[in-house]
Amino acid sequence: MVAVKYELIKTCKQTGARLGRVHTPHGVIETPAFMPVGTQATVKTVSPEELKTLDAHIILSNTYHLFVRPGHEIVRKAGGLHKFMNWDRPILTDSGGFQVFSLSEMRKIKEEGVEFRNHLNGDKMFISPEKAMEIQNALGSDIMMAFDECAPYPAEYDYVKNSLERTTRWAERCLASHARPHDQALFAIVQGGMYEDLRRQSADQLTSMDFPGYAIGGLSVGEPKELMYNVLDCTVPLLPANKPRYLMGVGSPDALLDGSIRGIDMFDCVLPTRIARNGTTMTSQGRLVIRNAKFAEDFGPLDPECSCYTCTNYSRAYIRHLIKADETFGIRLTTIHNLHFLLELMRGVRQAIMEDRLMDFRNTFFAKYGLFEN
Ligand SMILES: Nc1nc2c(CCc3ccccc3)c3nc[nH]c3cc2c(=O)[nH]1
Ligand SMILES: [Zn+2]
């Protein structure tokens, strides 16, 4: 049996969105899906039981972070990441290249791999495609990402072309050093920057190697949203319809909707957990910054339309007090709400695809969501 199998349930008649299921050794992921990020083997401040209550089907973690701390050998000795963090549902791990570039100083890219300094203690370290596979194998993630280079934005055409060709060679090396193809699926990552012909070159080279799933990388790196959508419009059709498509690093509510409409199945984003830590919440009327003085005596729920643990049991005034007092419980409450908000949004997307009304669902959401901003 292969590690990951995609089941296409139906395609929305109004849009290019698909309803599907990704079957993995640790369970099924209903798609389109939002995947919470747990970079250091925890979705910050939230327990696995709470994640199950929120009905998160899969969580993400990071090769780079677990390599530099505590070290992948410790996780391997613990019996793998599922055991280590007490999460028995699917786990996807990123391959580390992106994090090296966003976190560590003095990194050097070579054909062999990437040399960098451990961002915690300055030690010189090295990750190659083979090393990235060894680490993810030790972690035991259900879905591993190929070792790639996410080209910076903006970047020269020639740089992006050389970079995507190296990423393709690295993907071949990942495939060649894949120890457990029956338990762990290896997804390739399409690069090519914002150049349509380079996206096509990257997609054609990688789809010819027949991976069980494909990610679209090199986006959500500071480019304007419409540029991201242009890249999606030219890249998604090049990917096989019978495999999952994962848009890396994308998770704002509007992008989840417009990415789903363009046929993306899996999304990740640190946004819901990251903004929660400074008290910013996503509500049906848009972003609400709970620190704002106007909520000091507001004893209503964060979001009157939300049924999550936070909105059922606590008031804006109380959450504002906790965040102002830097109380961890306040961050737990905003994180639980934000995760519920995005997971609930994707449940709505899946229901709308089932009923062929995703464009209506999107337009209704957009009409309300911007209210708080202006
Ligand atoms: N390997 C890789 N990762 C990316 C991430 C991290 C996603 C991630 C996965 C798992 C855990 C955390 C983050 C990106 N985030 C924003 N844009 C991104 C682009 C890429 C990319 O091109 N390649
Ligand atoms: Zn809520």
Side-chain angles (χ1 to χ4, degrees):
M1 99 107 177
V2 290
V4 157
K5 184 131 185 46
Y6 178 67
E7 178 193 359
L8 175 57
I9 297 168
K10 79 167 284 204
T11 302
C12 174
K13 290 191 177 50
Q14 263 191 354
T15 67
R18 308 117 58 85
L19 191 63
R21 289 194 192 100
V22 179
H23 297 268
T24 81
H26 279 90
V28 181
I29 305 148
E30 311 249 337
T31 61
F34 164 71
M35 307 183 286
V37 175
T39 296
Q40 302 189 108
T42 165
V43 177
K44 291 183 175 22
T45 77
V46 179
S47 73
E49 290 71 24
E50 286 165 333
L51 284 169
K52 285 186 177 174
T53 304
L54 292 164
D55 202 22
H57 292 177
I58 176 171
I59 61 148
L60 273 54
S61 196
N62 259 304
T63 293
Y64 172 80
H65 291 82
L66 297 172
F67 176 46
V68 299
R69 182 176 55 190
H72 59 296
E73 285 310 329
I74 287 181
V75 180
R76 187 204 304 275
K77 286 174 190 151
L81 194 48
H82 289 88
K83 195 113 178 40
F84 194 50
M85 67 181 290
N86 183 34
W87 175 256
D88 62 2
R89 292 185 177 184
I91 296 176
L92 180 153
T93 46
D94 199 3
S95 46
F98 181 81
Q99 288 77 27
V100 165
F101 277 84
S102 42
L103 278 171
S104 72
E105 300 303 311
M106 203 298 286
R107 67 265 165 175
K108 239 187 255 141
I109 307 185
K110 299 172 178 158
E111 184 62 29
E112 179 55 21
V114 182
E115 214 175 76
F116 63 94
R117 283 208 183 281
N118 178 327
H119 74 289
L120 301 171
N121 60 18
D123 285 359
K124 237 184 182 174
M125 300 184 100
F126 187 77
I127 297 188
S128 64
E130 293 77 15
K131 186 71 181 176
M133 292 300 283
E134 179 204 331
I135 296 167
Q136 294 180 93
N137 186 264
L139 301 177
S141 36
D142 301 279
I143 300 175
M144 305 185 289
M145 300 312 293
F147 190 67
D148 66 324
E149 182 200 353
C150 172
Y153 173 77
E156 290 294 313
Y157 183 90
D158 291 345
Y159 182 88
V160 174
K161 182 169 175 54
N162 289 328
S163 169
L164 86 83
E165 288 167 351
R166 181 171 47 221
T167 286
T168 298
R169 292 193 296 274
W170 283 354
E172 280 169 326
R173 286 168 53 185
C174 288
L175 217 45
S177 63
H178 189 182
R180 288 173 31 196
H182 297 295
D183 301 330
Q184 297 182 274
L186 174 63
F187 280 18
I189 304 177
V190 177
Q191 293 292 347
M194 309 303 157
Y195 302 101
E196 191 164 334
D197 61 322
L198 296 184
R199 284 282 170 182
R200 172 175 296 282
Q201 181 186 347
S202 178
D204 290 350
Q205 289 176 345
L206 296 173
T207 51
S208 69
M209 288 187 252
D210 192 24
F211 286 88
Y214 292 90
I216 298 178
L219 293 176
S220 190
V221 286
E223 78 282 3
K225 277 249 165 86
E226 55 277 3
L227 203 41
M228 177 174 84
Y229 293 135
N230 292 348
V231 169
L232 290 189
D233 289 339
C234 76
T235 307
V236 171
L238 304 171
L239 302 178
N242 65 336
K243 303 279 175 68
R245 300 144 177 184
Y246 164 23
L247 176 54
M248 303 191 87
V250 171
S252 58
D254 52 302
L256 290 178
L257 286 167
D258 286 336
S260 297
I261 284 170
R262 288 171 171 79
I264 297 294
D265 307 304
M266 298 160 74
F267 301 87
D268 81 78
C269 184
V270 291
L271 203 64
T273 42
R274 180 171 294 168
I275 63 172
R277 291 199 284 287
N278 61 39
T280 302
T281 60
M282 300 168 176
T283 75
S284 45
Q285 271 84 43
R287 279 191 177 202
L288 183 156
V289 182
I290 199 65
R291 281 178 175 278
N292 193 313
K294 69 183 174 188
F295 299 123
E297 298 185 20
D298 182 336
F299 302 107
L302 206 50
D303 183 348
E305 296 180 23
C306 182
S307 61
C308 84
Y309 169 68
T310 301
C311 296
T312 307
N313 298 294
Y314 304 94
S315 70
R316 289 172 172 176
Y318 176 65
I319 298 165
R320 178 178 180 275
H321 158 65
L322 294 181
I323 294 290
K324 299 276 285 183
D326 204 17
E327 281 291 345
T328 312
F329 187 54
I331 297 173
R332 274 180 38 76
L333 290 176
T334 52
T335 302
I336 286 166
H337 168 78
N338 284 348
L339 289 173
H340 173 86
F341 182 84
L342 287 188
L343 291 164
E344 190 64 23
L345 178 65
M346 298 317 281
R347 269 188 286 277
V349 165
R350 295 194 294 269
Q351 190 59 37
I353 295 171
M354 180 62 90
E355 298 165 6
D356 292 315
R357 55 174 179 78
L358 181 56
M359 195 48 91
D360 301 334
F361 180 85
R362 173 211 183 269
N363 294 334
T364 307
F365 178 86
F366 270 55
K368 282 172 53 182
Y369 192 68
L371 292 189
F372 263 42
E373 257 82 52
N374 48 35

Short mmCIF file of all heavy atoms in Angstrom, two decimals, residues 221-269:
data_model
loop_
_atom_site.label_atom_id
_atom_site.label_comp_id
_atom_site.label_asym_id
_atom_site.label_seq_id
_atom_site.Cartn_x
_atom_site.Cartn_y
_atom_site.Cartn_z
N VAL A 221 5.88 35.03 -0.17
CA VAL A 221 7.22 35.51 0.22
C VAL A 221 7.30 37.03 0.03
O VAL A 221 8.35 37.58 -0.26
CB VAL A 221 8.33 34.80 -0.59
CG1 VAL A 221 8.51 33.38 -0.09
CG2 VAL A 221 8.01 34.81 -2.09
N GLY A 222 6.14 37.68 0.17
CA GLY A 222 6.12 39.14 0.09
C GLY A 222 5.61 39.66 -1.24
O GLY A 222 5.53 40.87 -1.44
N GLU A 223 5.26 38.77 -2.16
CA GLU A 223 4.74 39.23 -3.46
C GLU A 223 3.31 39.73 -3.28
O GLU A 223 2.61 39.31 -2.37
CB GLU A 223 4.80 38.10 -4.48
CG GLU A 223 3.72 37.04 -4.38
CD GLU A 223 3.96 36.01 -3.28
OE1 GLU A 223 4.95 36.14 -2.52
OE2 GLU A 223 3.12 35.11 -3.15
N PRO A 224 2.86 40.63 -4.20
CA PRO A 224 1.45 41.06 -4.14
C PRO A 224 0.53 39.86 -4.36
O PRO A 224 0.87 38.94 -5.10
CB PRO A 224 1.34 42.04 -5.32
CG PRO A 224 2.73 42.39 -5.71
CD PRO A 224 3.61 41.25 -5.28
N LYS A 225 -0.65 39.87 -3.73
CA LYS A 225 -1.59 38.74 -3.81
C LYS A 225 -1.93 38.41 -5.26
O LYS A 225 -1.96 37.23 -5.65
CB LYS A 225 -2.88 39.08 -3.05
CG LYS A 225 -2.78 38.84 -1.54
CD LYS A 225 -3.63 37.67 -1.05
CE LYS A 225 -3.21 37.27 0.35
NZ LYS A 225 -3.87 38.06 1.43
N GLU A 226 -2.15 39.44 -6.09
CA GLU A 226 -2.58 39.11 -7.46
C GLU A 226 -1.47 38.38 -8.22
O GLU A 226 -1.73 37.53 -9.07
CB GLU A 226 -3.05 40.34 -8.25
CG GLU A 226 -2.10 41.50 -8.34
CD GLU A 226 -2.18 42.40 -7.08
OE1 GLU A 226 -2.92 42.09 -6.12
OE2 GLU A 226 -1.43 43.40 -7.08
N LEU A 227 -0.21 38.66 -7.85
CA LEU A 227 0.91 37.95 -8.48
C LEU A 227 0.85 36.48 -8.07
O LEU A 227 1.04 35.58 -8.89
CB LEU A 227 2.23 38.58 -8.05
CG LEU A 227 3.47 38.40 -8.93
CD1 LEU A 227 3.12 38.55 -10.40
CD2 LEU A 227 4.55 39.41 -8.53
N MET A 228 0.55 36.25 -6.79
CA MET A 228 0.44 34.85 -6.31
C MET A 228 -0.67 34.13 -7.08
O MET A 228 -0.49 33.01 -7.55
CB MET A 228 0.13 34.83 -4.82
CG MET A 228 -0.08 33.43 -4.26
SD MET A 228 -0.27 33.42 -2.48
CE MET A 228 -2.01 33.78 -2.32
N TYR A 229 -1.80 34.81 -7.26
CA TYR A 229 -2.91 34.15 -7.96
C TYR A 229 -2.56 33.90 -9.43
O TYR A 229 -2.92 32.88 -10.01
CB TYR A 229 -4.20 34.96 -7.83
CG TYR A 229 -4.73 35.01 -6.41
CD1 TYR A 229 -5.17 36.18 -5.82
CD2 TYR A 229 -4.74 33.84 -5.62
CE1 TYR A 229 -5.64 36.21 -4.51
CE2 TYR A 229 -5.20 33.86 -4.31
CZ TYR A 229 -5.65 35.04 -3.76
OH TYR A 229 -6.10 35.06 -2.46
N ASN A 230 -1.81 34.82 -10.05
CA ASN A 230 -1.38 34.58 -11.45
C ASN A 230 -0.52 33.31 -11.52
O ASN A 230 -0.69 32.49 -12.41
CB ASN A 230 -0.54 35.75 -11.97
CG ASN A 230 -1.37 37.02 -12.13
OD1 ASN A 230 -2.60 36.95 -12.06
ND2 ASN A 230 -0.71 38.15 -12.31
N VAL A 231 0.38 33.17 -10.55
CA VAL A 231 1.25 31.97 -10.55
C VAL A 231 0.40 30.72 -10.35
O VAL A 231 0.59 29.71 -11.02
CB VAL A 231 2.34 32.07 -9.44
CG1 VAL A 231 3.06 30.75 -9.27
CG2 VAL A 231 3.32 33.19 -9.77
N LEU A 232 -0.60 30.80 -9.46
CA LEU A 232 -1.49 29.64 -9.25
C LEU A 232 -2.23 29.30 -10.54
O LEU A 232 -2.29 28.14 -10.95
CB LEU A 232 -2.49 29.90 -8.13
CG LEU A 232 -1.97 29.97 -6.71
CD1 LEU A 232 -3.12 30.02 -5.72
CD2 LEU A 232 -1.06 28.80 -6.40
N ASP A 233 -2.74 30.35 -11.20
CA ASP A 233 -3.54 30.12 -12.42
C ASP A 233 -2.72 29.39 -13.49
O ASP A 233 -3.25 28.59 -14.25
CB ASP A 233 -4.06 31.44 -13.00
CG ASP A 233 -5.14 32.05 -12.11
OD1 ASP A 233 -5.74 31.28 -11.32
OD2 ASP A 233 -5.35 33.27 -12.16
N CYS A 234 -1.40 29.62 -13.51
CA CYS A 234 -0.61 28.95 -14.56
C CYS A 234 0.01 27.66 -14.06
O CYS A 234 0.41 26.80 -14.85
CB CYS A 234 0.44 29.88 -15.14
SG CYS A 234 1.86 30.12 -14.07
N THR A 235 0.09 27.47 -12.74
CA THR A 235 0.79 26.28 -12.22
C THR A 235 -0.17 25.13 -11.91
O THR A 235 0.11 23.97 -12.25
CB THR A 235 1.59 26.64 -10.95
OG1 THR A 235 2.43 27.75 -11.23
CG2 THR A 235 2.43 25.46 -10.47
N VAL A 236 -1.30 25.42 -11.26
CA VAL A 236 -2.22 24.35 -10.83
C VAL A 236 -2.62 23.43 -12.00
O VAL A 236 -2.56 22.21 -11.87
CB VAL A 236 -3.46 24.92 -10.11
CG1 VAL A 236 -4.49 23.83 -9.88
CG2 VAL A 236 -3.06 25.56 -8.78
N PRO A 237 -2.97 24.00 -13.18
CA PRO A 237 -3.38 23.11 -14.29
C PRO A 237 -2.27 22.15 -14.73
O PRO A 237 -2.54 21.15 -15.40
CB PRO A 237 -3.72 24.10 -15.41
CG PRO A 237 -3.99 25.40 -14.75
CD PRO A 237 -3.07 25.43 -13.55
N LEU A 238 -1.03 22.43 -14.36
CA LEU A 238 0.09 21.55 -14.79
C LEU A 238 0.24 20.36 -13.85
O LEU A 238 1.02 19.45 -14.11
CB LEU A 238 1.40 22.35 -14.82
CG LEU A 238 1.40 23.61 -15.70
CD1 LEU A 238 2.66 24.41 -15.47
CD2 LEU A 238 1.24 23.22 -17.16
N LEU A 239 -0.48 20.39 -12.72
CA LEU A 239 -0.33 19.33 -11.72
C LEU A 239 -1.39 18.26 -11.93
O LEU A 239 -2.51 18.57 -12.33
CB LEU A 239 -0.43 19.93 -10.31
CG LEU A 239 0.60 21.02 -10.00
CD1 LEU A 239 0.37 21.59 -8.60
CD2 LEU A 239 2.02 20.49 -10.15
N PRO A 240 -1.06 16.99 -11.67
CA PRO A 240 -2.04 15.91 -11.89
C PRO A 240 -3.27 16.07 -11.01
O PRO A 240 -3.15 16.41 -9.82
CB PRO A 240 -1.26 14.65 -11.54
CG PRO A 240 -0.07 15.08 -10.77
CD PRO A 240 0.23 16.49 -11.16
N ALA A 241 -4.47 15.86 -11.59
CA ALA A 241 -5.72 16.07 -10.84
C ALA A 241 -5.92 14.99 -9.78
O ALA A 241 -6.68 15.21 -8.83
CB ALA A 241 -6.90 16.05 -11.82
N ASN A 242 -5.21 13.87 -9.90
CA ASN A 242 -5.44 12.78 -8.95
C ASN A 242 -4.42 12.77 -7.81
O ASN A 242 -4.21 11.76 -7.14
CB ASN A 242 -5.39 11.43 -9.68
CG ASN A 242 -3.99 11.16 -10.24
OD1 ASN A 242 -3.23 12.12 -10.48
ND2 ASN A 242 -3.65 9.91 -10.42
N LYS A 243 -3.75 13.91 -7.60
CA LYS A 243 -2.79 14.02 -6.49
C LYS A 243 -3.10 15.29 -5.69
O LYS A 243 -3.58 16.28 -6.28
CB LYS A 243 -1.36 14.14 -7.03
CG LYS A 243 -0.90 12.98 -7.94
CD LYS A 243 -0.47 11.79 -7.15
CE LYS A 243 -0.13 10.58 -8.01
NZ LYS A 243 1.08 10.76 -8.84
N PRO A 244 -2.80 15.31 -4.37
CA PRO A 244 -3.06 16.52 -3.59
C PRO A 244 -2.15 17.67 -4.01
O PRO A 244 -1.01 17.43 -4.42
CB PRO A 244 -2.73 16.10 -2.15
CG PRO A 244 -2.60 14.63 -2.16
CD PRO A 244 -2.25 14.22 -3.55
N ARG A 245 -2.68 18.89 -3.88
CA ARG A 245 -1.90 20.10 -4.18
C ARG A 245 -1.83 20.93 -2.91
O ARG A 245 -2.86 21.30 -2.35
CB ARG A 245 -2.59 20.91 -5.27
CG ARG A 245 -2.77 20.17 -6.59
CD ARG A 245 -4.07 20.55 -7.22
NE ARG A 245 -4.27 19.93 -8.52
CZ ARG A 245 -5.32 20.21 -9.28
NH1 ARG A 245 -6.24 21.07 -8.85
NH2 ARG A 245 -5.46 19.62 -10.45
N TYR A 246 -0.60 21.26 -2.48
CA TYR A 246 -0.38 21.95 -1.21
C TYR A 246 0.26 23.30 -1.51
O TYR A 246 1.36 23.37 -2.05
CB TYR A 246 0.50 21.05 -0.34
CG TYR A 246 1.18 21.67 0.85
CD1 TYR A 246 0.72 22.82 1.47
CD2 TYR A 246 2.30 21.06 1.41
CE1 TYR A 246 1.36 23.37 2.58
CE2 TYR A 246 2.95 21.59 2.52
CZ TYR A 246 2.47 22.75 3.09
OH TYR A 246 3.10 23.28 4.20
N LEU A 247 -0.43 24.38 -1.16
CA LEU A 247 0.11 25.74 -1.35
C LEU A 247 0.80 26.15 -0.05
O LEU A 247 0.14 26.39 0.97
CB LEU A 247 -1.02 26.71 -1.70
CG LEU A 247 -0.64 28.18 -1.84
CD1 LEU A 247 0.51 28.39 -2.82
CD2 LEU A 247 -1.85 29.01 -2.25
N MET A 248 2.12 26.25 -0.08
CA MET A 248 2.91 26.42 1.15
C MET A 248 2.87 27.84 1.67
O MET A 248 3.03 28.80 0.93
CB MET A 248 4.36 25.99 0.90
CG MET A 248 4.45 24.56 0.39
SD MET A 248 6.13 23.93 0.37
CE MET A 248 6.23 23.29 2.05
N GLY A 249 2.61 27.95 2.99
CA GLY A 249 2.71 29.23 3.66
C GLY A 249 1.51 30.13 3.46
O GLY A 249 1.58 31.33 3.76
N VAL A 250 0.42 29.55 2.96
CA VAL A 250 -0.74 30.42 2.68
C VAL A 250 -1.89 30.03 3.60
O VAL A 250 -2.27 28.86 3.64
CB VAL A 250 -1.16 30.27 1.21
CG1 VAL A 250 -2.49 30.99 0.95
CG2 VAL A 250 -0.07 30.84 0.33
N GLY A 251 -2.37 31.12 4.30
CA GLY A 251 -3.38 30.86 5.26
C GLY A 251 -4.22 32.04 5.68
O GLY A 251 -5.02 31.87 6.60
N SER A 252 -4.13 33.23 5.04
CA SER A 252 -5.10 34.25 5.46
C SER A 252 -6.46 33.82 4.92
O SER A 252 -6.52 33.16 3.87
CB SER A 252 -4.71 35.61 4.88
OG SER A 252 -4.63 35.52 3.47
N PRO A 253 -7.56 34.19 5.61
CA PRO A 253 -8.90 33.72 5.19
C PRO A 253 -9.19 33.96 3.71
O PRO A 253 -9.62 33.04 3.01
CB PRO A 253 -9.83 34.53 6.08
CG PRO A 253 -9.04 34.83 7.30
CD PRO A 253 -7.63 35.01 6.83
N ASP A 254 -8.87 35.14 3.21
CA ASP A 254 -9.16 35.41 1.80
C ASP A 254 -8.35 34.51 0.87
O ASP A 254 -8.85 34.01 -0.14
CB ASP A 254 -8.87 36.90 1.46
CG ASP A 254 -7.47 37.30 1.90
OD1 ASP A 254 -7.16 37.17 3.10
OD2 ASP A 254 -6.67 37.70 1.03
N ALA A 255 -7.09 34.22 1.26
CA ALA A 255 -6.24 33.37 0.40
C ALA A 255 -6.67 31.91 0.47
O ALA A 255 -6.53 31.17 -0.51
CB ALA A 255 -4.78 33.51 0.81
N LEU A 256 -7.20 31.49 1.64
CA LEU A 256 -7.71 30.10 1.73
C LEU A 256 -8.88 29.94 0.76
O LEU A 256 -9.00 28.94 0.06
CB LEU A 256 -8.17 29.79 3.15
CG LEU A 256 -7.09 29.68 4.23
CD1 LEU A 256 -7.73 29.43 5.59
CD2 LEU A 256 -6.12 28.56 3.92
N LEU A 257 -9.75 30.97 0.70
CA LEU A 257 -10.92 30.90 -0.18
C LEU A 257 -10.47 30.95 -1.65
O LEU A 257 -10.82 30.07 -2.45
CB LEU A 257 -11.86 32.06 0.11
CG LEU A 257 -12.66 31.93 1.41
CD1 LEU A 257 -13.33 33.25 1.77
CD2 LEU A 257 -13.70 30.82 1.30
N ASP A 258 -9.65 31.95 -2.00
CA ASP A 258 -9.29 32.11 -3.41
C ASP A 258 -8.31 31.04 -3.88
O ASP A 258 -8.25 30.72 -5.06
CB ASP A 258 -8.76 33.52 -3.66
CG ASP A 258 -9.91 34.54 -3.66
OD1 ASP A 258 -11.07 34.10 -3.92
OD2 ASP A 258 -9.69 35.72 -3.38
N GLY A 259 -7.56 30.44 -2.92
CA GLY A 259 -6.69 29.31 -3.29
C GLY A 259 -7.53 28.06 -3.52
O GLY A 259 -7.32 27.32 -4.49
N SER A 260 -8.55 27.84 -2.68
CA SER A 260 -9.44 26.67 -2.85
C SER A 260 -10.15 26.77 -4.19
O SER A 260 -10.25 25.79 -4.93
CB SER A 260 -10.48 26.62 -1.73
OG SER A 260 -9.86 26.46 -0.47
N ILE A 261 -10.62 27.96 -4.53
CA ILE A 261 -11.33 28.17 -5.80
C ILE A 261 -10.42 27.78 -6.97
O ILE A 261 -10.88 27.29 -7.99
CB ILE A 261 -11.80 29.65 -5.90
CG1 ILE A 261 -13.03 29.84 -5.00
CG2 ILE A 261 -12.10 30.05 -7.34
CD1 ILE A 261 -13.45 31.28 -4.82
N ARG A 262 -9.12 27.97 -6.81
CA ARG A 262 -8.17 27.65 -7.89
C ARG A 262 -7.67 26.19 -7.81
O ARG A 262 -6.71 25.84 -8.46
CB ARG A 262 -7.00 28.63 -7.84
CG ARG A 262 -7.39 30.03 -8.31
CD ARG A 262 -6.30 31.03 -8.06
NE ARG A 262 -6.59 32.32 -8.71
CZ ARG A 262 -7.44 33.21 -8.21
NH1 ARG A 262 -8.09 32.95 -7.07
NH2 ARG A 262 -7.67 34.35 -8.84
N GLY A 263 -8.31 25.38 -6.97
CA GLY A 263 -7.98 23.96 -6.98
C GLY A 263 -6.87 23.53 -6.03
O GLY A 263 -6.30 22.44 -6.18
N ILE A 264 -6.56 24.37 -5.02
CA ILE A 264 -5.59 23.97 -4.00
C ILE A 264 -6.32 23.14 -2.93
O ILE A 264 -7.44 23.43 -2.55
CB ILE A 264 -4.93 25.20 -3.34
CG1 ILE A 264 -4.13 25.99 -4.37
CG2 ILE A 264 -4.04 24.78 -2.17
CD1 ILE A 264 -2.90 25.26 -4.94
N ASP A 265 -5.63 22.08 -2.45
CA ASP A 265 -6.26 21.16 -1.48
C ASP A 265 -5.76 21.34 -0.04
O ASP A 265 -6.47 21.02 0.90
CB ASP A 265 -5.96 19.70 -1.89
CG ASP A 265 -6.34 19.42 -3.33
OD1 ASP A 265 -7.51 19.66 -3.68
OD2 ASP A 265 -5.47 18.99 -4.12
N MET A 266 -4.51 21.81 0.11
CA MET A 266 -3.90 21.88 1.46
C MET A 266 -3.22 23.24 1.64
O MET A 266 -2.56 23.73 0.71
CB MET A 266 -2.87 20.75 1.63
CG MET A 266 -3.48 19.35 1.53
SD MET A 266 -2.24 18.09 1.13
CE MET A 266 -1.39 17.98 2.71
N PHE A 267 -3.41 23.81 2.84
CA PHE A 267 -2.85 25.12 3.17
C PHE A 267 -2.20 25.04 4.56
O PHE A 267 -2.65 24.26 5.41
CB PHE A 267 -3.95 26.17 3.24
CG PHE A 267 -4.75 26.35 1.98
CD1 PHE A 267 -5.87 25.55 1.73
CD2 PHE A 267 -4.39 27.30 1.04
CE1 PHE A 267 -6.62 25.72 0.56
CE2 PHE A 267 -5.14 27.49 -0.12
CZ PHE A 267 -6.25 26.69 -0.36
N ASP A 268 -1.18 25.86 4.77
CA ASP A 268 -0.63 25.97 6.13
C ASP A 268 -0.39 27.45 6.41
O ASP A 268 -0.19 28.22 5.46
CB ASP A 268 0.71 25.23 6.24
CG ASP A 268 1.84 26.09 5.70
OD1 ASP A 268 2.30 27.02 6.41
OD2 ASP A 268 2.23 25.88 4.55
N CYS A 269 -0.36 27.85 7.64
CA CYS A 269 0.01 29.22 7.93
C CYS A 269 0.25 29.38 9.43
O CYS A 269 -0.47 28.81 10.24
CB CYS A 269 -1.09 30.16 7.47
SG CYS A 269 -0.61 31.87 7.71
#
